[in-house]
């Protein structure tokens, strides 16, 4: 009789080890499937930064506090800084500039006379007078009759000459020391140039103060001295 040897019959111990190894592998795989997952690191939350928007500080409005006459212009001044310069050759610009500072002026038109052409007159608060046109010099004549006026914003606006001169100042010493060609005298009254502007044959003109016994009564531009003009 011929026998067919099966593997298990040939290697009984080896087959036993293979069976046990397979069983162990299956058990480990099953246990691995039941094991808890490794912990995942949670991201650390970033702190919230509050964005603070600063409240803008409102700038104080610029307020005109002085009108300064120069030889050929009028300066609009705030705290020593020139905000605008009005040309003594531009009537409309000057009227608009002074109206912005003091409000609407009184207005009157005048017919021609022996010594002047037909002209217009603007008056602000009885302290500033502008006549246009005038004969001979420039386009208009501007006069200051007060030390200061109240501006449209309720502020005090000083009215000054080029060196800070004002109505009521005593210019006796200044007049006495000035070049005689810059002073025109009528008895106890004097017209003295404070700053020279227009120059022409026969006369000198600019900002001038009209003084009685040395005390300034008013100031103006352009004013001529020693001009020999009849009117």
């Amino acid at each position: 009789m011929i026998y067919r040897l099966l593997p298990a019959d040939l290697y009984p111990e080896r087959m036993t080890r293979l069976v046990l190894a397979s069983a162990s592998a299956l058990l480990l795989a099953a246990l691995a499937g039941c094991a808890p997952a490794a912990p995942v690191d949670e991201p650390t939350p970033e702190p919230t930064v509050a964005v603070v928007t600063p409240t803008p500080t409102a700038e104080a409005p610029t307020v005109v506090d002085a009108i300064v006459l120069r030889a050929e212009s009028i300066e609009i001044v705030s705290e020593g800084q020139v905000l605008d310069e009005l040309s003594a050759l531009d009537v409309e610009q000057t009227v608009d500039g002074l109206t912005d500072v003091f409000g609407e002026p009184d207005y009157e038109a005048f017919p021609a006379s022996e010594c002047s052409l037909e002209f217009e007159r603007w008056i602000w608060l009885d302290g500033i007078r502008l006549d246009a046109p005038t004969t001979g010099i420039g386009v208009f004549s501007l006069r200051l009759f007060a030390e200061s006026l109240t501006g449209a914003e309720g502020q005090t606006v000083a009215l000054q000459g080029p060196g800070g001169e004002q109505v009521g100042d005593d210019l006796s010493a200044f007049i006495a020391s000035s070049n005689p060609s810059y002073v025109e005298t009528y008895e106890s009254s004097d017209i003295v140039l404070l700053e020279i502007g227009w120059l022409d044959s026969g006369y000198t003109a600019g900002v001038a103060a009209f003084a009685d016994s040395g005390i300034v009564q008013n100031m103006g531009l352009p004013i001529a001295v020693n001009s020999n003009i009849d009117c």
Side-chain angles (χ1 to χ4, degrees):
M1 179 180 293
I2 300 172
Y3 291 95
R4 184 180 300 274
L5 295 178
L6 296 176
D9 296 327
L10 294 174
Y11 308 103
E13 296 180 0
R14 183 177 180 184
M15 289 301 297
T16 301
R17 288 196 300 269
L18 288 174
V19 171
L20 291 175
S22 298
S24 298
L26 290 173
L27 178 61
L28 289 174
L31 291 175
C34 298
V40 178
D41 291 338
E42 294 291 336
T44 303
E46 294 291 333
T48 301
V49 178
V51 178
V52 179
T53 303
T55 302
T57 303
E59 294 185 4
T62 301
V63 178
V64 173
D65 56 26
I67 299 294
V68 180
L69 299 188
R70 302 308 302 255
E72 300 181 16
S73 64
I74 302 98
E75 293 178 345
I76 308 298
V77 178
S78 175
E79 298 183 347
Q81 300 297 314
V82 177
L83 303 179
D84 198 3
E85 192 169 15
L86 311 175
S87 171
L89 297 175
D90 192 326
V91 177
E92 183 177 355
Q93 181 191 60
T94 300
V95 170
D96 289 347
L98 293 177
T99 298
D100 286 344
V101 178
F102 298 106
E104 291 295 327
D106 293 328
Y107 171 82
E108 190 174 357
F110 292 85
S113 66
E114 182 181 354
C115 290
S116 68
L117 302 172
E118 180 180 353
F119 70 95
E120 300 171 289
R121 172 172 288 172
W122 294 264
I123 297 178
W124 289 268
L125 305 174
D126 293 327
I128 300 178
R129 188 181 77 198
L130 188 151
D131 292 342
T134 57
T135 59
I137 305 169
V139 176
F140 63 71
S141 173
L142 181 71
R143 301 283 281 274
L144 308 179
F145 295 92
E147 176 184 355
S148 63
L149 294 176
T150 301
E153 303 296 327
Q155 79 279 25
T156 298
V157 182
L159 306 181
Q160 301 175 335
E165 303 88 353
Q166 293 182 284
V167 170
D169 287 354
D170 187 344
L171 295 185
S172 299
F174 180 83
I175 293 170
S177 62
S178 294
N179 186 324
S181 64
Y182 298 161
V183 180
E184 193 165 353
T185 300
Y186 301 91
E187 298 180 355
S188 62
S189 299
D190 297 286
I191 304 173
V192 57
L193 284 173
L194 305 175
E195 188 172 74
I196 299 170
W198 287 271
L199 300 176
D200 204 338
S201 58
Y203 59 81
T204 304
V207 181
F210 294 76
D212 285 345
S213 300
I215 306 301
V216 178
Q217 305 300 308
N218 65 81
M219 295 183 293
L221 90 157
I223 304 297
V225 298
N226 301 315
S227 62
N228 297 320
I229 299 175
D230 293 335
C231 293

